[in-house]
Amino acid sequence: AKTIHLIGERHSGSNRMFQHLTNCFGNQTMVSDRLSRYKHWFQDEERLRTSTSATSSDMYVVALFRNPYAWVEAMHKRGPHHYPSHRRIGSWMSFVTKPLMVARTAVDNAMTEEDRFASSATPAKCIEGFTWNEVNPCHADNYLNKKDDLDFPMYELNHRQKDGTPYFRITDLRADKIKNFMVVKDYQRVKYFRPFQYEAMVAGGEATNQLIRELEEATGLKAACAPLHESPIEQKETKFDKEFVEWMKQNVDWEAEGLVGYRKDDVPVASTETVEI
């Protein structure tokens, strides 16, 4: 079997790209907005091996990224899903320097050590196969009937350290997420991996058409969709605060950004869309 998967951070256009991939290939194979976890979260090859919900298919993966200046601004102004303590923050400086954390819930604090961490015998009882040191809140019961509530907290903790430390800046989370997504190309079951930029998707045209042709060639399937045209979203002109641009230049991991084609001088002239795509 062959399956197509889309991963991408919040406010990176993943809804629009997922719909396009579904229109192209969904009548022939499964197109999913999950890999080892839901599209927004850190991915984990071991979870693919052990998850009872994972299929044994060959995987063809598109990873969507957005210009860091525009992404941070969208996360601030539109409000990041599942980060309730980061919604409705007035200044950009307050937003980018606010640690990504909330207090542990009573349900979490009552968990036993065995439930908090995975072992060879049992998985941790945390949402999405994370352990206590990787997510807050942790216990899946925190999320009962709330998984679609965008204001309900789900804070990924420092993915490199895995010691329960939060991210202290959203740009640090982004750097680790880029590196984590780029490792997906080395997963044993991944036969095709393509990082793709939000800006190319919004522009429509040849770049997106090329992506679909590559998927056709890689999977042997024939796309059954019309080309993706320029996004009909309404744009509002916005100029980035000069101090914001300078802060980003100093605090973004530009080596990580280079992995997905962004450079320090790639400051957009217009940014935030008025509707979610």
mmCIF file of all heavy atoms in Angstrom, residues 187-204:
data_model
loop_
_atom_site.group_PDB
_atom_site.id
_atom_site.type_symbol
_atom_site.label_atom_id
_atom_site.label_comp_id
_atom_site.label_asym_id
_atom_site.label_seq_id
_atom_site.Cartn_x
_atom_site.Cartn_y
_atom_site.Cartn_z
ATOM 1 N N TYR A 187 13.256 8.134 7.495
ATOM 2 C CA TYR A 187 12.462 7.041 8.046
ATOM 3 C C TYR A 187 12.448 5.874 7.066
ATOM 4 O O TYR A 187 12.365 6.072 5.845
ATOM 5 C CB TYR A 187 11.011 7.486 8.273
ATOM 6 C CG TYR A 187 10.772 8.399 9.451
ATOM 7 C CD1 TYR A 187 11.814 9.016 10.145
ATOM 8 C CD2 TYR A 187 9.473 8.660 9.883
ATOM 9 C CE1 TYR A 187 11.563 9.861 11.211
ATOM 10 C CE2 TYR A 187 9.218 9.499 10.954
ATOM 11 C CZ TYR A 187 10.257 10.101 11.619
ATOM 12 O OH TYR A 187 10.007 10.928 12.670
ATOM 13 N N GLN A 188 12.492 4.692 7.579
ATOM 14 C CA GLN A 188 12.580 3.504 6.734
ATOM 15 C C GLN A 188 11.413 3.393 5.766
ATOM 16 O O GLN A 188 11.585 3.000 4.605
ATOM 17 C CB GLN A 188 12.656 2.249 7.614
ATOM 18 C CG GLN A 188 12.844 0.961 6.814
ATOM 19 C CD GLN A 188 13.021 -0.245 7.719
ATOM 20 O OE1 GLN A 188 13.070 -0.118 8.943
ATOM 21 N NE2 GLN A 188 13.121 -1.415 7.124
ATOM 22 N N ARG A 189 10.210 3.731 6.229
ATOM 23 C CA ARG A 189 9.032 3.554 5.386
ATOM 24 C C ARG A 189 8.744 4.741 4.475
ATOM 25 O O ARG A 189 7.853 4.668 3.627
ATOM 26 C CB ARG A 189 7.809 3.270 6.271
ATOM 27 C CG ARG A 189 7.824 1.850 6.848
ATOM 28 C CD ARG A 189 6.729 1.661 7.863
ATOM 29 N NE ARG A 189 5.429 2.086 7.371
ATOM 30 C CZ ARG A 189 4.389 2.334 8.176
ATOM 31 N NH1 ARG A 189 4.516 2.206 9.474
ATOM 32 N NH2 ARG A 189 3.236 2.697 7.651
ATOM 33 N N VAL A 190 9.485 5.832 4.639
ATOM 34 C CA VAL A 190 9.257 7.020 3.808
ATOM 35 C C VAL A 190 10.027 6.875 2.498
ATOM 36 O O VAL A 190 11.254 6.844 2.480
ATOM 37 C CB VAL A 190 9.659 8.300 4.564
ATOM 38 C CG1 VAL A 190 9.628 9.501 3.630
ATOM 39 C CG2 VAL A 190 8.716 8.521 5.749
ATOM 40 N N LYS A 191 9.299 6.797 1.404
ATOM 41 C CA LYS A 191 9.889 6.596 0.078
ATOM 42 C C LYS A 191 10.052 7.911 -0.691
ATOM 43 O O LYS A 191 10.746 7.958 -1.709
ATOM 44 C CB LYS A 191 9.027 5.620 -0.728
ATOM 45 C CG LYS A 191 8.738 4.304 -0.009
ATOM 46 C CD LYS A 191 10.015 3.607 0.465
ATOM 47 C CE LYS A 191 9.712 2.325 1.228
ATOM 48 N NZ LYS A 191 10.929 1.710 1.787
ATOM 49 N N TYR A 192 9.372 8.937 -0.219
ATOM 50 C CA TYR A 192 9.455 10.257 -0.864
ATOM 51 C C TYR A 192 9.219 11.297 0.223
ATOM 52 O O TYR A 192 8.307 11.159 1.042
ATOM 53 C CB TYR A 192 8.407 10.378 -1.961
ATOM 54 C CG TYR A 192 8.195 11.782 -2.511
ATOM 55 C CD1 TYR A 192 8.923 12.242 -3.603
ATOM 56 C CD2 TYR A 192 7.254 12.633 -1.934
ATOM 57 C CE1 TYR A 192 8.722 13.526 -4.108
ATOM 58 C CE2 TYR A 192 7.047 13.912 -2.433
ATOM 59 C CZ TYR A 192 7.785 14.361 -3.512
ATOM 60 O OH TYR A 192 7.589 15.626 -4.011
ATOM 61 N N PHE A 193 10.065 12.339 0.230
ATOM 62 C CA PHE A 193 9.903 13.431 1.199
ATOM 63 C C PHE A 193 10.172 14.741 0.485
ATOM 64 O O PHE A 193 11.179 14.885 -0.202
ATOM 65 C CB PHE A 193 10.870 13.274 2.366
ATOM 66 C CG PHE A 193 10.820 14.422 3.337
ATOM 67 C CD1 PHE A 193 9.876 14.468 4.347
ATOM 68 C CD2 PHE A 193 11.732 15.472 3.230
ATOM 69 C CE1 PHE A 193 9.821 15.531 5.235
ATOM 70 C CE2 PHE A 193 11.690 16.543 4.123
ATOM 71 C CZ PHE A 193 10.735 16.572 5.126
ATOM 72 N N ARG A 194 9.270 15.700 0.679
ATOM 73 C CA ARG A 194 9.435 16.983 -0.017
ATOM 74 C C ARG A 194 9.067 18.140 0.911
ATOM 75 O O ARG A 194 7.903 18.324 1.261
ATOM 76 C CB ARG A 194 8.530 17.000 -1.249
ATOM 77 C CG ARG A 194 8.559 18.293 -2.034
ATOM 78 C CD ARG A 194 9.864 18.470 -2.795
ATOM 79 N NE ARG A 194 9.646 19.080 -4.091
ATOM 80 C CZ ARG A 194 9.461 20.380 -4.302
ATOM 81 N NH1 ARG A 194 9.506 21.215 -3.280
ATOM 82 N NH2 ARG A 194 9.253 20.826 -5.530
ATOM 83 N N PRO A 195 10.060 18.944 1.341
ATOM 84 C CA PRO A 195 9.718 20.195 2.025
ATOM 85 C C PRO A 195 9.147 21.175 1.014
ATOM 86 O O PRO A 195 9.643 21.268 -0.123
ATOM 87 C CB PRO A 195 11.063 20.668 2.584
ATOM 88 C CG PRO A 195 12.085 20.024 1.708
ATOM 89 C CD PRO A 195 11.508 18.745 1.207
ATOM 90 N N PHE A 196 8.103 21.904 1.389
ATOM 91 C CA PHE A 196 7.446 22.802 0.445
ATOM 92 C C PHE A 196 7.077 24.085 1.175
ATOM 93 O O PHE A 196 6.647 24.060 2.330
ATOM 94 C CB PHE A 196 6.183 22.141 -0.123
ATOM 95 C CG PHE A 196 5.666 22.783 -1.383
ATOM 96 C CD1 PHE A 196 6.285 22.552 -2.596
ATOM 97 C CD2 PHE A 196 4.565 23.626 -1.355
ATOM 98 C CE1 PHE A 196 5.823 23.148 -3.770
ATOM 99 C CE2 PHE A 196 4.095 24.228 -2.504
ATOM 100 C CZ PHE A 196 4.721 23.987 -3.720
ATOM 101 N N GLN A 197 7.239 25.215 0.500
ATOM 102 C CA GLN A 197 7.008 26.504 1.131
ATOM 103 C C GLN A 197 5.578 26.999 0.936
ATOM 104 O O GLN A 197 5.019 26.927 -0.161
ATOM 105 C CB GLN A 197 7.990 27.550 0.583
ATOM 106 C CG GLN A 197 9.440 27.280 0.955
ATOM 107 C CD GLN A 197 10.372 28.404 0.520
ATOM 108 O OE1 GLN A 197 9.995 29.295 -0.240
ATOM 109 N NE2 GLN A 197 11.610 28.352 1.003
ATOM 110 N N TYR A 198 5.024 27.529 2.001
ATOM 111 C CA TYR A 198 3.700 28.155 2.000
ATOM 112 C C TYR A 198 3.571 29.174 0.877
ATOM 113 O O TYR A 198 2.549 29.243 0.188
ATOM 114 C CB TYR A 198 3.495 28.822 3.366
ATOM 115 C CG TYR A 198 2.362 29.799 3.489
ATOM 116 C CD1 TYR A 198 1.135 29.405 4.008
ATOM 117 C CD2 TYR A 198 2.530 31.144 3.145
ATOM 118 C CE1 TYR A 198 0.096 30.317 4.164
ATOM 119 C CE2 TYR A 198 1.503 32.058 3.288
ATOM 120 C CZ TYR A 198 0.282 31.639 3.799
ATOM 121 O OH TYR A 198 -0.738 32.553 3.939
ATOM 122 N N GLU A 199 4.617 29.968 0.687
ATOM 123 C CA GLU A 199 4.554 31.058 -0.290
ATOM 124 C C GLU A 199 4.353 30.533 -1.703
ATOM 125 O O GLU A 199 3.643 31.138 -2.507
ATOM 126 C CB GLU A 199 5.830 31.904 -0.197
ATOM 127 C CG GLU A 199 5.996 32.645 1.120
ATOM 128 C CD GLU A 199 6.438 31.754 2.281
ATOM 129 O OE1 GLU A 199 7.095 30.710 2.023
ATOM 130 O OE2 GLU A 199 6.128 32.098 3.443
ATOM 131 N N ALA A 200 4.965 29.398 -2.007
ATOM 132 C CA ALA A 200 4.790 28.795 -3.327
ATOM 133 C C ALA A 200 3.373 28.264 -3.482
ATOM 134 O O ALA A 200 2.778 28.351 -4.560
ATOM 135 C CB ALA A 200 5.802 27.675 -3.532
ATOM 136 N N MET A 201 2.817 27.717 -2.405
ATOM 137 C CA MET A 201 1.455 27.211 -2.466
ATOM 138 C C MET A 201 0.468 28.342 -2.700
ATOM 139 O O MET A 201 -0.445 28.237 -3.529
ATOM 140 C CB MET A 201 1.107 26.488 -1.161
ATOM 141 C CG MET A 201 -0.316 25.958 -1.106
ATOM 142 S SD MET A 201 -0.823 25.486 0.558
ATOM 143 C CE MET A 201 -0.904 27.100 1.366
ATOM 144 N N VAL A 202 0.619 29.440 -1.974
ATOM 145 C CA VAL A 202 -0.297 30.576 -2.109
ATOM 146 C C VAL A 202 -0.216 31.174 -3.513
ATOM 147 O O VAL A 202 -1.219 31.606 -4.080
ATOM 148 C CB VAL A 202 0.010 31.644 -1.031
ATOM 149 C CG1 VAL A 202 -0.762 32.931 -1.294
ATOM 150 C CG2 VAL A 202 -0.324 31.105 0.355
ATOM 151 N N ALA A 203 0.988 31.174 -4.090
ATOM 152 C CA ALA A 203 1.165 31.737 -5.436
ATOM 153 C C ALA A 203 0.554 30.852 -6.513
ATOM 154 O O ALA A 203 0.239 31.313 -7.605
ATOM 155 C CB ALA A 203 2.650 31.946 -5.718
ATOM 156 N N GLY A 204 0.368 29.552 -6.180
ATOM 157 C CA GLY A 204 -0.135 28.636 -7.198
ATOM 158 C C GLY A 204 0.905 28.456 -8.297
ATOM 159 O O GLY A 204 2.085 28.753 -8.141
#
